[in-house]
Amino acid sequence: MQWRMDAGGQTLAFGTDGGLPAVIYWGARLPEGEDLAQLAASARHDLTGGMIDTLPDLTLTPESGRVFAGQPGLICAEADGTPLHPVFRFDRTEAAEGRLSLISTAQGITLTHHITAQATGVFTLQTVLEADRDIRISWLAAPVLPAPQAAETMVDVHGRWVREFHLNHVKWTPGIRLREARTGRSGHEHPPYLILPEFGCTNTQGAAYALHYAWSGGHRMVAEELPDGRRQVQFGAPLGAEPRPARRFATAELIAVHSQSGLNGIAAAFQADTRDRVVTWPNPGRPRPVHYNCWEAIYFNHTLADLSEIADRAAALGAERFVLDDGWFGRRDDDTTSLGDWTIDRNKWPEGLHPLIAHVKSLGMTFGLWFEPEMVNPDSDLHRAHPDWMLGPVDQVTGRNQLVLDLSRAEVRDYLFTAVSAILAEYDIDYIKWDHNRLLPVVDVAQADGAYDLFDRLRAAHPGVEIESCASGGGRIDAGILARTHRVWLSDCIDAEERLRMQHDAALFLPSCVTGSHVGAFHSHTTGRALPMAFRAWVAAQRHFGFEMDPRKISDADAAVLREVTAWYKANRDWMMAGRILRLDSADPTVTAEMQLAKDGGRFVLFAGQNAQTVQILPRPLRLTGLDPAARYRITLRNPGDKPPQSRGPNALKDGPLVLSGAALMGQGILLPVAWPATMWVVEGERL
Ligand code: DGJ
């Protein structure tokens, strides 16, 4: 038996000879009428010495009971610990429009593999296990997919606080690459993404596959080259995250993409899927407002006078949403106290937040507020009243002076729902910055389930409120959290040089509309680096734009630059947010370049960020991508005034627009003026 599913430009086909189904094809979309029996036959391997007499299929859940020589997709036991090695028989399918469920059984256990072809062009896959008695699970993988053989490397993502989203290029070798996020968050360290490029794949050409595990509580990934050379990838919860016997277990959804147009095909599919399916927008037509966030301007030192003046300046620069960060509640004068006590600090705010919010609204801005609901300081009324509400061992070290609340407990969630809801009901708040600043003391899916429940209840009770996921910057960025939030704080590092690279790599997975990016102070608070305003502003304008410096401390000249870039962002944000970010194959490693292409292909903007001194004297040509070769485009350098004094030649773009075909722009590319480090060239393009 065989089945086939198509999503966008990709096809997934499955087959079974009576056991668990296996993938018989994953790749570019097959022609209608492809003979699936022939496809299954073509996927069958030979045997040779050193092998058992029948090759176990690489099924959607490789089984330990079938002498499978690699990592099994299920490790389970009876409730008393007696190991189980079920050997499943395929039973039946259930199908609905765009959805296929493959159901197999063994020893009173039913294993269901759900596959959904999403309208956004991705597949989502989930494994559900149901037993007729309580059993224990130590590993359950989402449906297991084969990894390409015509490939030398895999690319996964690593980061740390203030240096998120770094791409690891790891060579395939016999054996496993194991990654496990055991911090209770999707994590800075091992965010749950994997790209599998084939030979010759670049940003703009070649074939690639990619997987994203849509879960915020940490994950385990096994990418394995089996002794026989086949390759598999498994994603699931970290080991030990399902500590209780139960009758039902389900993995999170695995999002799968195949591209024939290089890494940009992966990026475009993930970006569209996040924006158009995963995120549920309170008001989809609302332009992404320009943020002002006060954290790096004043930290915990809140006064109405300072914040009112800051709000005046931010509004004059073009801000549309004012976010009051940490420090407004309990006795929160530093990070040692008060998390959990979600009542206004009357020393700082004798009349509550009403005067500030009234002022912010009088300036035409909406108001956002910071919370960190899952956390508690030992020095808090909440902890004194409920020391038993903590997650993990009684005797544990704190992280940023804080402990974690056990969100698997209904009374804890009820308390948090009531406390956060009371603030949202009293004040006109359209945005929460939801922080999560410490690593969890234990790994347990129940904590992420509890957090999701709290998000869902607050969303239902306050449907107009947008939420940002922040976890010391980018510590909780995944499709599980984005199904409940609307923006991610990519990093606490807003040094534009760092951000340029970070957001460029994050664009492989994240659309512009959810990726918060702010203009920081002249001297970055996390690196000390000093950067010109034009560069800081243009880098932030590549994504969901905002400011985070103290606007009282910027010069008139810098304010003028910032006002201009803000106006540009407002004029262009709608088509940019609805479009695609396409990474360019820059021939110069000191240039990080991308295009943002409108949905209808009618316009684009190219950002080329000069991050360091070039090796050669002259800029190398930059090839565009995603254009119609036959169409003609007018390209205009938006900011020729940012050229350095040493730029003294006749570069055409400095003097005005050029009109060229898509073929010329993509084939030969464009020559930009020479640039100092920390220059962003902005080239606007329009199809004629
Ligand atoms: C960590 C966040 O990433 C910062 O942006 C800020 O909100 C602080 N927490 C506040 O404590």
Side-chain angles (χ1 to χ4, degrees), residues 181 183-192 215-219 475-478:
T183 61
R185 315 187 288 200
S186 38
H188 294 84
E189 309 79 11
H190 309 290
W215 179 249
S216 313
H219 78 285
R476 187 155 66 175
I477 299 179
D478 59 82

Side-chain angles (χ1 to χ4, degrees), residues 295 325-326 332 370 400 433 435 437 470 472-473 489 492:
W295 177 241
D325 211 283
D326 195 356
R332 183 85 167 164
W370 182 95
R400 205 194 187 203
K433 177 175 175 180
D435 214 336
N437 282 304
C470 173
S472 304
W489 189 226
D492 276 354

